[in-house]
Amino acid sequence: MKKKHFIEVIAAIAIIFVLGGCSMLQSAINDIKGSLVGNDYTIFTYDNYGSKVLETSGRKISITGNPVKTTDYDSDGDVKERYELSSVITITVDGKEIESCGDTCVFVQKGLKPDVNFTKKSIKGSESGALSSYASVARFLNKYKNMFGKSRIVVIKSQLGQPIAAYSGDEVYWKIPKNLPKMTKLMIDGKALYIHRANFQIIDKDLLEK
C-alpha cells in the first residue's frame, strides 16, 4: 500500500509539472514566509518621477509590513482599536535594513535583464512624459520594438506614470503574494520581479505597429 501511495504522489507531481509548467513551480519556490530566499535579487528604488535613488543586492531578502494602531467607532459609539499596515515597509538585505515609505521599489531576480532601461539619459530624453493610456504606451514603445525579443512586453512605471524599464517574455503573468505587504509579483519566463508602489502594463508585442 505504501508503494502504491508513493506512486500516486509521484504521478500527481508529474501532472502539476505538465499542467502548471516549470515557471509555476519557480513562483512557488520564490514565496517563502514573506521572504525572497535562495536567489540573488537586485533592489532598485525610484522616486515618483522614475529617477533611481538607490540600488542594492543580496541573497537573503525579506519584506515586512509595519502595522499601526488605529481607532474607529462602532454603531453604539464605542471606540474600537484595530491594526492596519502602514505605508512603511522594512526591507532586510543579508541582515541589513532599509525602511522605505512612498518610493517605488523593484526587486529583480538575477538573470532577468530589461530589454530597455528608460532611466538612461540616452533613451529617456524628451519622450519621458507620463504614459496614461495604452495608446500612449504603444506610441512610446514602437520606437524600441526591435529591442524586444519575445512576444509579451512588461512596462514598469513609477506612480506618476514615468517609464522605468521594459522586459519581454513568452510566458508572463502576475499575482498578489499573500505574505508580502502591498506587493505585486510578476513572473517573466520563470524569473521573478516584485514591485512595490509601481504601475505596470503587460502588452502583446503584436499589438504594436508593424
Side-chain angles (χ1 to χ4, degrees):
M1 292 297 292
K2 290 183 177 179
K3 183 177 181 181
K4 180 180 179 181
H5 180 68
F6 177 77
I7 294 174
E8 290 174 347
V9 171
I10 295 300
I13 292 174
I15 291 172
I16 290 173
F17 268 97
V18 173
L19 296 180
C22 292
S23 65
M24 294 292 287
L25 176 63
Q26 185 65 47
S27 174
I29 291 173
N30 284 332
D31 287 340
I32 304 176
K33 296 181 180 178
S35 300
L36 316 183
V37 180
N39 293 297
D40 288 337
Y41 281 84
T42 301
I43 307 168
F44 299 96
T45 303
Y46 304 88
D47 63 19
N48 287 342
Y49 299 96
S51 299
K52 186 170 68 176
V53 296
L54 182 65
E55 178 180 338
T56 187
S57 61
R59 288 189 58 84
K60 188 175 182 180
I61 299 173
S62 64
I63 303 99
T64 306
N66 292 278
V68 293
K69 184 188 292 186
T70 62
T71 57
D72 202 351
Y73 296 91
D74 62 16
S75 58
D76 297 325
D78 296 326
V79 176
K80 298 292 183 181
E81 292 183 347
R82 60 188 178 89
Y83 286 88
E84 62 183 27
L85 286 178
S86 72
S87 298
V88 180
I89 60 170
T90 300
I91 306 168
T92 304
V93 183
D94 295 337
K96 306 297 182 181
E97 288 189 349
I98 301 170
E99 292 187 308
S100 179
C101 178
D103 284 340
T104 291
C105 297
V106 182
F107 302 74
V108 182
Q109 186 175 342
K110 183 179 180 180
L112 184 59
K113 302 292 184 182
D115 293 78
V116 184
N117 185 347
F118 297 116
T119 62
K120 292 182 179 180
K121 291 181 180 179
S122 60
I123 292 179
K124 199 168 184 179
S126 61
E127 294 190 47
S128 61
L131 306 179
S132 57
S133 67
Y134 167 73
S136 297
V137 173
R139 287 195 296 270
F140 187 84
L141 292 180
N142 273 322
K143 181 177 179 180
Y144 309 106
K145 182 178 179 181
N146 291 334
M147 295 184 182
F148 302 111
K150 298 186 178 180
S151 60
R152 306 201 77 193
I153 299 169
V154 179
V155 185
I156 308 296
K157 299 176 287 182
S158 73
Q159 293 183 84
L160 293 182
Q162 301 289 349
I164 292 173
Y167 300 79
S168 67
D170 291 319
E171 186 177 358
V172 180
Y173 66 93
W174 62 272
K175 63 179 288 189
I176 304 298
K178 294 181 180 179
N179 298 323
L180 298 175
K182 299 184 178 181
M183 304 278 286
T184 303
K185 176 182 182 180
L186 294 164
M187 290 298 294
I188 303 173
D189 290 344
K191 297 292 185 181
L193 187 152
Y194 295 81
I195 58 176
H196 173 74
R197 293 188 175 277
N199 299 321
F200 73 91
Q201 284 185 305
I202 301 173
I203 303 166
D204 288 342
K205 184 178 178 181
D206 288 343
L207 288 176
L208 302 180
E209 292 179 2
K210 302 294 184 182

